[in-house]
Amino acid sequence: MAFDIDRHTRSEASARRLLEKYCWPDGQPVCPRCGSRKAYALAEGRLRCAGCRYTYRLLTGRFAGLAGLTARQWLRLAALFAAEETAHAMAAALDLAYNTAYKAATLIRLALLAESLDGLAVLRGHLGNDLGFSGKTLRPVPADAPLAAVPVFGILERGGMVFIDYLPDMTPEDLLHYNLHFSLPLSRLGAIVYSDRYQRYATLVTCGAEVLSRRFVEVAGRAPSVEPSRDGFWPYARERLARFHGVTARKFPLYLKELEFRYNHRNEDILPILLTNICSFVPDLA
Ligand SMILES: [Zn+2]
């Protein structure tokens, strides 16, 4: 462990001091609205910006500010997330309602997505809407609400790092077309369909596409080239995706980007990185 989580979660005050280090690295408060470093302390942890007069708190405008958790709850929940615990286990360990733990875990995933290379492009498009994330709020979208479109991702691995590219110009219909007319092998993992090598990508992957749930052609004697591989990203992801029972089409991009992050930091303690991400400002998605 890079640091001793038990020590920092001993009290709300010690947990808050740690989060302050992530939010205000040089020790000075930062106004979420204008960036000014000058502020007056008000009662109950509130601050007033000397520049624009905005009243804010430690987590205002940051991913961690959207969940309604205490600093101590955030630290403990992030440690459980780092250990790949489920939202059910988080809720039980922290004595939180399941929905609260689930929402907090979703905020961690959104913060990871926002930090990834094409994360802002993903969040600004219809995928952001489909995730219920508007930048200032996170509203659960009813499970049966239709998706604007089912996205396709390309997975590329180079030098032990994986890159999961959102391919906005490609649709599940394209995958079916390549399968039917150009014999592109496809395979299935629950609602997830993935392909053989395509251009620069080791595999193309999508989840929950109606058009692919009905039909695609098994190419005799041929399977996607990622299928038999024993190391690299795909076996790592396949094992975890199989464990996320019934991953929904809506949440699939979040899980995939989470796996990209976990894989690329697989030899590190990710907790400090998670804390950096959840303490960062929510990007302006306008
Ligand atoms: Zn200000």
Side-chain angles (χ1 to χ4, degrees), residues 12-128:
E12 177 61 16
S14 59
R16 188 190 151 95
R17 275 197 298 278
L18 183 66
L19 288 190
E20 280 179 1
K21 285 189 186 139
Y22 283 93
C23 294
W24 303 332
D26 60 5
Q28 290 286 99
V30 185
C31 173
R33 186 174 278 176
C34 76
S36 165
R37 302 303 185 93
K38 272 202 167 155
Y40 309 105
L42 304 176
E44 290 159 355
R46 290 173 303 141
L47 296 152
R48 175 153 301 146
C49 174
C52 73
R53 317 294 297 163
Y54 184 57
T55 302
Y56 62 97
R57 293 172 176 278
L58 176 64
L59 298 178
T60 302
R62 302 170 193 268
F63 283 97
L66 297 176
L69 297 189
T70 65
R72 196 159 167 265
Q73 286 171 327
W74 257 126
L75 289 190
R76 295 183 60 202
L77 188 133
L80 294 169
F81 186 95
E84 299 193 61
E85 292 291 352
T86 63
H88 277 291
M90 294 171 189
L94 275 70
D95 200 18
L96 291 171
Y98 171 77
N99 284 347
T100 306
Y102 183 76
K103 181 178 180 180
T106 300
L107 286 167
I108 298 179
R109 294 188 169 102
L110 283 166
L112 294 177
L113 171 61
E115 265 304 302
S116 77
L117 280 177
D118 57 359
L120 287 184
V122 171
L123 287 172
R124 286 197 175 115
H126 61 78
L127 274 181

